[in-house]
Amino acid sequence: MKLDGLKVLDLSAFLPGPHMTMMMADHGADVIMVEPANGVGEPVREIGERTPDGWSVWFRNVARGKRSLKLNLKDPAGVELLLKLAEQADVFVEAFRPGVVTRLGVGYEAVSARNPKIVYCSISAFGQTGQHVQKPAHDLVVQAMTGLMDLGRGLSDGQPAAPGIAFADASSSLMALSAILMALYRREKTGEGDYIDMSMYDAAIAWTPNVLGPTFGKGVAPEPKKMRSFGGAAMNSIYPTSDGGFIVIGGSEVKFAENLLTALGRVDLLPYAKIPPGDEQEPLKAFFRETFASNTQAHWEEFLAPVDCCWAAVRNLKEAFDDPFTAERGMVFTDAEGNRHVGPPIRFAKEPPRPNPKLAEFGEHSVEIAREAGLSAAEAEALKGRGVI
């Protein structure tokens, strides 16, 4: 696998860091979860619904294939053990509030002094510099501050809504993975590691090019209901059906509009699909609203199946994961115990991922990992007895 032989120390929690390092584990990296010796460890071990075997679904889908080291970083012996492990590691990931790792003695300066080749990635809400550096935040706050939540205002009530996915978390996870792989590639040429300041705010802001037209072009805030991506275009909108379902038309290209309107017998409305999104397209939107509301979702799924245009019925997560196509793509798989997992999205023809569904008990590998750092069996057991590991 692509990352065989790579060792990763992961001090992060919740979603951005753990999801990223799980993707690395799926491709062969040895990922060590460094969990706080607080009796719980990774918080998502205890969050949300559980499968019948007792594991949290959230934990199962960010922690598979990793090893667990319980570690008390408030004890100097715990700090020294982590620094010894860092001497052997390739990647170090942390997601504390800025300044915490430095106070603990495991910041970039301390770690790189022991291993100049380390690629050290800090993931935080607002980065390591700037006026918001100490502001606490999770995904929802970041989406509010970046303007992304405002883009989700309802088309009728005008109210912002909580997003359906933790986009700031997800985008920072993907950006961090990209940055780490860039740094590892550069290390092959220079022999030097690097430090990555990954901000959830920065990552979310970076994904806005398709909605920035009004802001950069005219100096005004976007009006979502008039924009192509959010319902302003008749061919890029959501339409209720007669039975409470919804059909999404999601491609504004004229060729798709012509195909759909031909199938519906109203090609005379095609000129409205050729003008910019907004109120001027209302006659076409009104036709679609009336048309799709006249019959059931199942009817429209059958009707639209042969039409060459972008469309889909709105499904819930259960329906999406139960769709055989999801399994065909490897994006859901079942382990030997019958538990379902989200599959790895990164696949190579020559070295495909091999996700390991095994989950580590809290601190399961602490003694083993301490021995790998060079401690004797007696020293490792002594640290365990003191609660350091």
Side-chain angles (χ1 to χ4, degrees):
M1 290 188 285
K2 299 295 187 191
L3 300 182
D4 281 343
L6 199 75
K7 180 168 284 189
V8 180
L9 298 176
D10 183 8
L11 281 69
S12 66
F14 293 106
L15 190 58
H19 190 275
M20 176 192 69
T21 57
M22 182 189 71
M23 289 192 286
M24 299 178 80
D26 285 346
H27 288 272
D30 175 16
V31 178
I32 297 173
M33 295 183 293
V34 182
E35 303 187 67
N38 58 6
V40 176
E42 161 63 74
V44 304
R45 285 180 178 273
E46 303 296 328
I47 294 178
E49 290 79 4
R50 298 172 181 270
T51 46
D53 59 4
W55 290 100
S56 154
V57 172
W58 184 344
F59 183 73
R60 169 167 274 122
N61 286 283
V62 296
R64 65 173 175 245
K66 301 178 184 180
R67 296 192 288 166
S68 172
L69 167 65
K70 180 177 72 172
L71 191 62
N72 181 5
L73 286 174
K74 295 181 179 179
D75 189 303
V79 172
E80 179 59 25
L81 175 57
L82 186 59
L83 292 174
K84 284 182 178 292
L85 289 169
E87 292 173 5
Q88 307 167 358
D90 299 284
V91 178
F92 191 108
V93 181
E94 65 91 8
F96 293 103
R97 198 181 299 192
V100 171
V101 286
T102 300
R103 292 196 297 273
L104 290 172
V106 293
Y108 176 64
E109 295 299 328
V111 170
S112 62
R114 303 284 281 262
N115 180 2
K117 297 179 69 175
I118 199 85
V119 173
Y120 192 114
C121 181
S122 294
I123 304 174
S124 62
F126 302 107
Q128 305 296 309
T129 60
Q131 61 184 289
H132 297 309
V133 68
Q134 289 300 322
K135 180 178 175 61
H138 287 292
D139 180 271
L140 199 64
V141 170
V142 174
Q143 292 212 42
M145 290 184 63
T146 54
L148 299 189
M149 188 179 295
D150 187 69
L151 294 173
R153 287 181 180 272
L155 299 183
S156 57
D157 64 13
Q159 300 297 309
I165 198 71
F167 178 76
D169 282 351
S171 58
S172 62
S173 176
L174 292 172
M175 292 282 193
L177 178 62
S178 299
I180 288 169
L181 297 180
M182 287 181 194
L184 290 172
Y185 177 76
R186 183 62 175 162
R187 190 181 72 175
E188 290 298 304
K189 298 178 179 297
T190 66
E192 295 180 344
D194 210 336
Y195 177 76
I196 299 162
D197 172 8
M198 178 51 57
S199 158
M200 293 163 58
Y201 184 91
D202 297 352
I205 283 280
W207 281 99
T208 58
N210 67 311
V211 294
L212 278 179
T215 299
F216 281 12
K218 298 180 179 179
V220 299
E223 293 184 72
K225 67 180 181 180
K226 294 184 178 181
M227 297 180 69
R228 182 183 307 277
S229 299
F230 306 104
M235 288 293 296
N236 205 77
S237 203
I238 306 169
Y239 297 102
T241 61
S242 64
D243 58 347
F246 295 90
I247 293 292
V248 167
I249 303 298
S252 294
E253 292 91 334
V254 173
K255 63 180 181 180
F256 293 141
E258 184 171 7
N259 293 341
L260 178 57
L261 289 171
T262 298
L264 292 170
R266 289 301 307 270
V267 75
D268 60 295
L269 293 172
L270 184 59
Y272 291 105
K274 298 180 179 180
I275 60 179
D279 295 338
E280 293 78 7
Q281 287 198 13
E282 181 55 32
L284 183 54
K285 288 192 281 186
F287 167 70
F288 283 149
R289 285 196 298 268
E290 180 180 354
T291 298
F292 287 111
S294 70
N295 219 315
T296 65
Q297 177 176 301
H299 167 83
W300 291 115
E301 290 184 73
E302 182 178 357
F303 177 90
L304 291 167
V307 179
D308 185 27
C309 70
C310 302
W311 71 274
V314 175
R315 307 193 298 192
N316 58 42
L317 276 177
K318 183 179 187 305
E319 290 167 331
F321 276 94
D322 287 348
D323 186 340
F325 175 71
T326 308
E328 287 172 15
R329 290 296 301 162
M331 286 312 301
V332 63
F333 68 92
T334 304
D335 64 26
E337 284 71 47
N339 300 299
R340 294 205 297 174
H341 304 251
V342 179
I346 300 172
R347 290 189 290 278
F348 300 98
K350 296 182 179 178
E351 296 174 272
R354 292 200 295 270
N356 174 7
K358 186 181 184 307
L359 298 174
E361 298 285 353
F362 178 36
E364 177 180 344
H365 304 95
S366 295
V367 171
E368 169 187 309
I369 293 169
R371 294 296 310 279
E372 291 174 8
L375 275 65
S376 68
E379 289 170 328
E381 288 297 336
L383 289 184
K384 182 178 180 180
R386 286 172 44 200
V388 176
I389 61 174

